[in-house]
Each structure stands twice: as C-alpha cells, then as structure tokens.
C-alpha cells in the first residue's frame, strides 16, 4: 500500500513539473508566426464574448502568449456581445 502511494505521489510530481515547463499555445499547432510578422499583420478575428470583461480577459491571454495587441469591439445591433481581434 505504501509503495503504491509513493509511486502515485512521484507520478503526480512528475506530471506537475512537466506541465509547468510546457509552453502555452495561442496559435493552432503547425502555424508559425514570428513576433515581427504579428506586429505587421492585420487584425485577426478570434470570437465573440458575452461581456467586455470576458473579451478583455481573453485578449490579455493572447497577449501573454505572444500576440502584440488585442481589441474588443461591440457587436452590431446592441446585443451586448464583444468581438475579439488580435494582431
């Protein structure tokens, strides 16, 4: 029983360490865009969010993961949704 607990604990520790060291991915796998190309690229539509706060949170996450800028535009029609764009 103790051996199993030790092995499980060691396995969890290894998974935690490798998970911390793994980089987060903002772009789809297989796409390669350099930081210079991102700053020169046009705005890319990501999706719509039900509030400005959700849109800003998602935009900040994209910036943390390598995009240079984001913007949240109100969706047409006064629906309360916001569209997220990154560059």
């Amino acid at each position: 029983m103790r051996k199993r607990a030790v092995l499980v604990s060691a396995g969890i520790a290894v998974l935690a360490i490798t998970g911390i060291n793994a980089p987060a991915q903002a772009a789809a796998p297989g796409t390669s865009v350099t930081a210079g190309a991102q700053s020169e690229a046009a705005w890319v539509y990501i999706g719509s969010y039900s509030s400005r706060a959700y849109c800003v949170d998602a935009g900040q996450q994209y910036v943390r993961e390598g995009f240079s800028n984001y913007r949240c535009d109100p969706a047409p029609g006064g629906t309360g949704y916001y569209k997220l764009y990154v560059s």
Side-chain angles (χ1 to χ4, degrees), residues 25-39 41 44 65-67:
Q25 298 295 320
T31 55
S32 174
V33 179
T34 63
Q38 285 180 1
S39 63
V44 177
E65 294 186 12
F67 285 87

Side-chain angles (χ1 to χ4, degrees), residues 36-54:
Q38 285 180 1
S39 63
E40 298 170 5
W43 291 99
V44 177
Y45 173 73
I46 299 298
S48 62
Y49 294 85
S50 60
S51 73
R52 180 159 168 63
Y54 290 147

Side-chain angles (χ1 to χ4, degrees), residues 57-67:
D57 287 343
Q60 289 173 345
Q61 182 64 35
Y62 276 93
V63 169
R64 282 191 295 271
E65 294 186 12
F67 285 87

